[in-house]
Amino acid sequence: AAGKAEMNRKDLILLSLFRASRSIAAGLIMIAFPYLVLQRLKYGPFALGLIYVAGAAGTAVLGLLLGFLGDIWGRKRALFISGALLPVSALLVFLSSHLAFLVVAAAVGGLSATGSLPGGGVGGASAPVQSAVIADLVIPPRRTFYFSAFSFLSGVFGALGALLARVVNARDAFIVAAAVSLMGLPLVIGLGVPAVKGKLRVLPSKLVIGKFSLTALLNGLSGGLVIPFLIPFFVLVYHLPKNQMSAYVFASGLLGSFAILAAPLLVKWFGFVKSIVVSRGLGMILFVIFPIIHFLPVAVAIYIIAPALRVIALPIQQSEMTRRVDE
């Protein structure tokens, strides 16, 4: 048992370093992409919306496909493939300014910004496989803690990536993001993930999967209408420079990271359902206020606080899902 614990500790460290490299890249891209499209390439908000649609659709399709591959081929292989998508996507953006290339890059790398930094918005197709790997490595009673810890790390390193965007121009940010995310890829090879394989003709836990999927559909629909356009809103409405926006994203990511550590305590106090309702409900109210009150300090405060309320539900949801769904 002690040997197994040591092995798992090593694997969790490797996975956290892999995730840290992706989060830094994601933070850079989250800031640089809307500024590149809107200000440098002058494509306009409609084109940016189309690109974000491609990114969100690509994340959904690739996330599902990689989830199947993870069960059939093995989760380490699926994680490696998903890890390679982000640097490839960043390189595509760096090499070409053509709208078609940007759409393809968004679909491949999940450049939709539909999540906050702790939630892993950019490159989100790898999230299901990462969740499965964490569930493999951690005993059920500790899963909420580890999901929280990994989301915390994602938020902190993503916030650092956003801060790094202050000193890198919008185009060069993508070659830096490609290099940083590529550095974490070899770490996947050293992971000792159990070889759990499923069968395509068998799908246990259909009812539970259906309930979580319906909730995710509604959450995704509402989030997709708002979250990707928060930074563009500041660019178009308040005309904020990239340096200033980077500081606000850094603050939002950092707050979200620390807030997410409260998830185990929240679920202990309120239970699974009430924890989700309280955190997501408060976040929803703030997002309703956001476009109505055109006052920059209020908008910045909402941008910093609301994502933290949304992401605090993530580890609770992930832990409950892995508990209820067949391995």
Side-chain angles (χ1 to χ4, degrees), residues 110-184:
L111 310 186
S112 62
T114 49
S116 64
L117 291 172
V122 174
S126 72
V129 182
Q130 287 188 56
S131 295
V133 170
I134 294 169
D136 284 339
L137 297 174
V138 178
I139 58 172
R142 299 286 288 163
R143 281 177 186 162
T144 303
F145 168 77
Y146 275 100
F147 281 130
S148 301
F150 272 89
S151 296
F152 170 77
L153 286 173
S154 292
V156 169
F157 283 100
L160 291 173
L163 204 59
L164 182 61
R166 289 168 63 93
V167 296
V168 183
N169 72 53
R171 190 173 195 82
D172 291 345
F174 288 88
I175 192 65
V176 175
V180 172
S181 56
L182 201 59
M183 285 168 62

Side-chain angles (χ1 to χ4, degrees), residues 21-310:
S21 70
R22 291 176 60 80
S23 297
I24 292 170
L28 270 165
I29 291 169
M30 193 172 178
I31 290 289
F33 197 62
Y35 280 93
L36 178 71
V37 174
L38 294 173
Q39 289 190 344
R40 185 159 178 170
L41 302 179
K42 309 290 184 186
Y43 276 124
F46 182 72
L48 182 63
L50 291 177
I51 294 168
Y52 278 159
V53 167
T59 297
V61 173
L62 287 171
L64 184 63
L65 179 62
L66 288 165
F68 277 117
L69 289 177
D71 284 339
I72 298 167
W73 287 356
R75 285 164 193 165
K76 192 199 294 194
R77 289 179 184 175
L79 189 61
F80 188 89
I81 293 168
S82 69
L85 295 178
L86 187 57
V88 168
S89 170
L91 274 174
L92 278 173
V93 176
F94 178 74
L95 292 173
S96 177
S97 302
H98 196 279
L99 185 60
F101 273 86
L102 296 179
V103 169
V104 171
V108 169
L111 310 186
S112 62
T114 49
S116 64
L117 291 172
V122 174
S126 72
V129 182
Q130 287 188 56
S131 295
V133 170
I134 294 169
D136 284 339
L137 297 174
V138 178
I139 58 172
R142 299 286 288 163
R143 281 177 186 162
T144 303
F145 168 77
Y146 275 100
F147 281 130
S148 301
F150 272 89
S151 296
F152 170 77
L153 286 173
S154 292
V156 169
F157 283 100
L160 291 173
L163 204 59
L164 182 61
R166 289 168 63 93
V167 296
V168 183
N169 72 53
R171 190 173 195 82
D172 291 345
F174 288 88
I175 192 65
V176 175
V180 172
S181 56
L182 201 59
M183 285 168 62
L185 199 55
L187 299 173
V188 177
I189 299 169
L191 284 174
V193 182
V196 179
K197 295 187 178 181
K199 297 177 182 177
L200 280 176
R201 66 178 183 274
V202 179
L203 184 63
S205 314
K206 292 184 183 69
L207 182 61
V208 176
I209 291 170
K211 288 179 179 179
F212 275 103
S213 297
L214 179 60
T215 308
L217 185 150
L218 295 171
N219 184 54
L221 179 63
S222 60
L225 287 167
V226 178
I227 307 296
F229 304 102
L230 290 176
I231 294 175
F233 189 85
F234 282 103
V235 177
L236 295 168
V237 176
Y238 295 108
H239 308 290
L240 288 186
K242 183 164 67 72
N243 289 354
Q244 193 174 348
M245 194 67 234
S246 296
Y248 296 149
V249 175
F250 172 76
S252 178
L254 212 57
L255 179 64
S257 302
F258 281 99
I260 215 164
L261 292 178
L265 196 60
L266 195 68
V267 77
K268 188 178 178 181
W269 285 346
F270 295 109
F272 168 58
V273 175
K274 286 183 181 177
S275 299
I276 304 287
V277 171
V278 169
S279 56
R280 288 277 165 90
L282 290 172
M284 180 189 69
I285 292 167
L286 290 176
F287 279 134
V288 169
I289 296 169
F290 182 79
I292 297 171
I293 301 175
H294 281 207
F295 183 51
L296 182 58
V298 173
V300 170
I302 291 173
Y303 178 76
I304 291 172
I305 295 167
L309 291 169
R310 279 180 58 82

